[in-house]
Amino acid sequence: MTFFEARNVNLHFGSFHVLRDVSFEFGKGDVLVVCGPSGSGKSTLIRSINRLASPLTSGSMSIQGCDLMSLPRQDLYRRIGMVFQRFNLFQHLTVLENVALPQRRVLGRNRREAADRARALLDRVGLADKADTYPVRLSGGQQQRVAICRTLAMEPELLLFDEPTSALDPEMVGEVLQVMRGLASGGMTMIVVTHEMGFARELGTEILFMEQGQVVERASPVDFFASPREARTRAFLDQILHH
C-alpha cells in the first residue's frame, strides 16, 4: 500500500532547474534514505515535501492520497515533522519548553499534558535530566536529540531528516543515530537525507541516489551497495566509502 508518492516533480528557483522529474513512492513504516553529492537536490526535495522550498513548478506529492500542496499548512505540520541539520531550537526556552510549546500551539494540549509528553520523550532519548537546561548548555548531539523529541511530540505520520548528523562532531553522531535506529525499529515512517552510509545500509528500506536534481538510481540497500547499476552511483560510492 502506497503511503507517500511523488510524481514527476519539477522545481525551479528562478531559471535554475533544481528538481527534475523526480518520482518515487514508499509504504508506511519504510525508511527511505536519500543520498548523493552536494548540490544534488536532496535537501530541496525534502524541504519541498514540507513546503519550505518554493512551490513546485509541476508534478505532485501526496500522503495517503492527500495532495500535499493543497493541505492546510497546520494539517501539513501535524502530519509531517522535520528535523533540521542545525537543530533550530529556541535558545530562550528550556529543553522542556522547546518540546512542550509546539504541542500547545499546534495541537491545543494544555500545559500539563504537553509537559508530561515532553518529559516522556526526553526520557526515551536519555535526556530526562536536561529538562530545565537551556540549549546553549547542551552538546550538539544533545540538541539534536531535543529537536527530534520536539518533532515526535507532534505525533507526525512521516518524519523528515535533513542531514541530521552533518553539523555534529564525530563522537556525537552515534547518539543521534541510536535514537533514529529506535524510531526505525518502532515503525516510524521516515525520509532521511544523509551521508551516513552505515545507517543507510542498516536501516534503509530503499535508497534513492540523486545527482543534479534527478533520481539516478533507486534500490534496496543490498543492491545499492553490492551491485549499483549506474556508473554515477558507483563513482559516488567509491568516493564516499574509500575516503
Side-chain angles (χ1 to χ4, degrees):
M1 180 75 183
T2 300
F3 172 77
F4 181 94
E5 183 173 36
R7 274 285 155 262
N8 304 323
V9 168
N10 284 276
L11 180 66
H12 289 78
F13 291 153
S15 61
F16 181 45
H17 199 167
V18 197
L19 298 176
R20 300 166 177 267
D21 284 321
V22 172
S23 295
F24 61 91
E25 76 285 317
F26 55 87
K28 193 159 178 56
D30 284 352
V31 178
L32 180 76
V33 175
V34 184
C35 63
S38 294
S40 59
K42 311 180 298 289
S43 290
T44 303
L45 174 64
I46 64 166
R47 291 176 76 86
S48 67
I49 293 171
N50 228 20
R51 301 221 299 256
L52 294 172
S54 308
L56 301 181
T57 312
S58 64
S60 65
M61 293 180 173
S62 61
I63 182 168
Q64 293 192 315
C66 295
D67 177 41
L68 285 186
M69 300 308 129
S70 58
L71 261 185
R73 208 167 271 277
Q74 196 84 332
D75 292 349
L76 181 76
Y77 293 151
R78 278 183 183 170
R79 299 185 71 174
I80 301 177
M82 182 144 176
V83 177
F84 298 89
Q85 192 172 345
R86 297 243 164 229
F87 330 132
N88 292 18
L89 297 175
F90 293 116
Q91 297 300 316
H92 65 291
L93 299 179
T94 65
V95 163
L96 186 76
E97 289 164 343
N98 262 287
V99 182
L101 183 65
Q103 300 176 60
R104 289 171 28 216
R105 289 263 169 90
V106 180
L107 302 179
R109 288 182 177 150
N110 65 38
R111 195 174 286 273
R112 172 83 186 273
E113 270 182 309
D116 286 350
R117 173 87 178 132
R119 286 186 199 283
L121 285 165
L122 290 168
D123 187 43
R124 184 169 152 188
V125 301
L127 291 174
D129 60 328
K130 301 292 185 189
D132 300 321
T133 306
Y134 287 89
V136 71
R137 315 287 309 183
L138 302 180
S139 70
Q142 289 170 330
Q143 289 190 62
Q144 190 61 292
R145 283 186 279 160
V146 173
I148 293 171
C149 286
R150 178 184 57 188
T151 306
L152 287 176
M154 309 303 287
E155 296 176 13
E157 296 166 46
L158 172 63
L159 211 43
L160 309 174
F161 287 89
D162 187 11
E163 307 216 12
T165 58
S166 63
L168 302 179
D169 294 332
E171 64 271 20
M172 292 170 193
V173 169
E175 62 194 55
V176 173
L177 290 180
Q178 193 55 42
V179 171
M180 292 171 69
R181 259 186 213 104
L183 293 174
S185 59
M188 175 58 81
T189 312
M190 305 194 274
I191 302 180
V192 184
V193 171
T194 187
H195 287 296
E196 297 290 337
M197 291 297 111
F199 177 87
R201 193 191 294 261
E202 176 192 355
L203 291 172
T205 317
E206 189 168 48
I207 299 180
L208 209 67
F209 173 66
M210 291 183 70
E211 194 176 68
Q212 294 179 335
Q214 293 175 303
V215 175
V216 174
E217 186 154 352
R218 258 179 81 187
S220 70
V222 171
D223 291 340
F224 184 81
F225 288 104
S227 51
R229 292 187 308 276
E230 303 294 327
R232 285 183 290 173
T233 315
R234 290 195 290 273
F236 171 76
L237 285 171
D238 196 48
Q239 188 181 16
I240 206 161
L241 297 176
H242 299 112
H243 286 270

